[in-house]
Amino acid sequence: MLQQHCTINRLRVGGDAPVRLMGIINCSPESFYRGSYTPAGGVYDRAMAMLDSGADMIDLGARSTAPGSPHITVAEEAKRVDAALSELDGTGITLSVDTRHLEVLEVCLRHEIHAVNDIAGLADERYARAVADSGLPVFAMASFKEPGDAVGLAATREALAAVVNRCARLEIDEYVLDPAVGRWVPERTSEDDWELCRNFGSFSAFGRPVLAAISRKTFIGDLLGRAPEDRLAGTLALTMMLVTAGAAMVRSHDVGETADLLRVYEKMRQA
């Protein structure tokens, strides 16, 4: 069934809703973008600052998924997430958790969370079953077996179709698709990412809200010759093009600047 919208803790995403803004809280000191790291004890203040700056919800994770990131154990990820979510319990903030490990998800489910962000696109059966049993909405990334393993536009469409089929089989109705822009596997190139962005509007053909998750990523840096700390302007330029192409939500490290962009975009849409 085509469902152009998704509801996350009463927040409507897609359909006739405004473009929504997801702020990133990163509890991993290994992050590719050091400015995004929030240590234990600072999560509540960071979340409140993001909400004050215009975020509709927060996406919290504790493991870097950037290429070449240092390995951490699942137990360490779970410990970090547990501490971070403890700071936000009872706040009512709309939260998704970014993890692909069942053991970490089980810890998250002891807290007040409202969605799951799975970069493996529910490819892991045990994990997927746990998500389905939780009843939580899902951000599901285009993946066959491993995060972002679809290379090129045609493969990305096939991977998204596989994600849609998984959700149907698991009877998950509330979900948002993520086309997996980024350097997830060595076979992918910057040109692959630009091709996905140029064809971003085509991903709406699946009848689901689509997430734009391109904040400060490598392909922008490759084009501009800039480190993650200096990719804001490039990120904002591309973000405007992706929301024009139909993105229902933007995932961003830079909430205030992206919120301003979305306000201008919504103003220009008015008849």
Side-chain angles (χ1 to χ4, degrees):
M1 179 182 67
L2 294 182
Q3 181 173 307
Q4 298 285 350
H5 67 274
C6 174
T7 302
I8 303 170
N9 191 31
R10 298 183 298 279
L11 177 70
R12 186 179 173 92
V13 180
D16 57 0
V19 179
R20 302 300 189 180
L21 177 53
M22 170 192 282
I24 302 168
I25 290 189
N26 188 343
C27 300
S28 168
E30 302 86 12
S31 174
F32 82 101
Y33 172 40
R34 294 180 182 177
S36 70
Y37 172 54
T38 304
V43 172
Y44 173 82
D45 288 343
R46 187 70 172 263
M48 296 306 296
M50 286 185 170
L51 294 180
D52 288 345
S53 296
D56 295 295
M57 67 177 295
I58 301 296
D59 187 47
L60 188 147
R63 175 188 293 270
S64 176
T65 55
S69 298
H71 174 76
I72 67 167
T73 65
V74 173
E76 176 62 23
E77 181 187 355
K79 179 181 177 182
R80 293 173 179 179
V81 168
D82 191 33
L85 291 175
S86 294
E87 295 185 48
L88 301 177
D89 283 338
T91 63
I93 295 171
T94 301
L95 284 171
S96 64
V97 289
D98 182 355
T99 185
R100 58 176 298 207
H101 296 288
L102 177 58
E103 297 85 350
V104 179
L105 177 63
E106 289 172 344
V107 171
C108 295
L109 292 173
R110 300 172 195 161
H111 295 275
E112 187 180 350
I113 65 171
H114 307 99
V116 176
N117 185 357
D118 181 18
I119 62 172
L122 302 173
D124 181 288
E125 184 64 23
R126 290 177 63 241
Y127 183 95
R129 284 290 174 191
V131 173
D133 289 345
S134 76
L136 293 174
V138 186
F139 293 91
M141 200 173 83
S143 304
F144 292 114
K145 295 182 179 179
E146 297 295 329
D149 57 1
V151 179
L153 179 60
T156 296
R157 288 172 174 157
E158 290 176 15
L160 287 172
V163 170
V164 170
N165 288 335
R166 288 172 199 145
C167 288
R169 177 174 54 82
L170 293 161
E171 298 183 332
I172 295 174
D173 295 324
E174 301 285 352
Y175 63 96
V176 175
L177 293 175
D178 177 352
V181 178
R183 192 71 54 81
W184 296 99
V185 294
E187 296 80 9
R188 296 179 68 150
T189 68
S190 289
E191 284 307 312
D192 289 322
D193 289 329
W194 288 114
E195 182 182 30
L196 297 185
C197 291
R198 291 187 192 101
N199 291 276
F200 201 87
S202 69
F203 304 131
S204 297
F206 291 97
R208 305 299 313 188
V210 181
L211 175 70
I214 51 92
S215 184
R216 296 182 181 261
K217 285 191 173 179
T218 299
F219 72 110
I220 298 173
D222 287 347
L223 176 68
L224 302 177
R226 298 189 183 278
E229 291 75 15
D230 299 315
R231 297 174 187 168
L232 175 59
T235 296
L236 292 175
L238 182 56
T239 297
M240 178 60 86
M241 298 186 76
L242 297 187
V243 297
T244 301
M249 177 176 278
V250 176
R251 184 176 186 270
S252 177
H253 297 98
D254 306 285
V255 169
E257 294 87 346
T258 307
D260 285 351
L261 179 154
L262 294 177
R263 287 183 66 190
V264 171
Y265 169 74
E266 295 293 348
K267 183 68 174 179
M268 289 296 290
R269 290 178 68 194
Q270 294 176 4

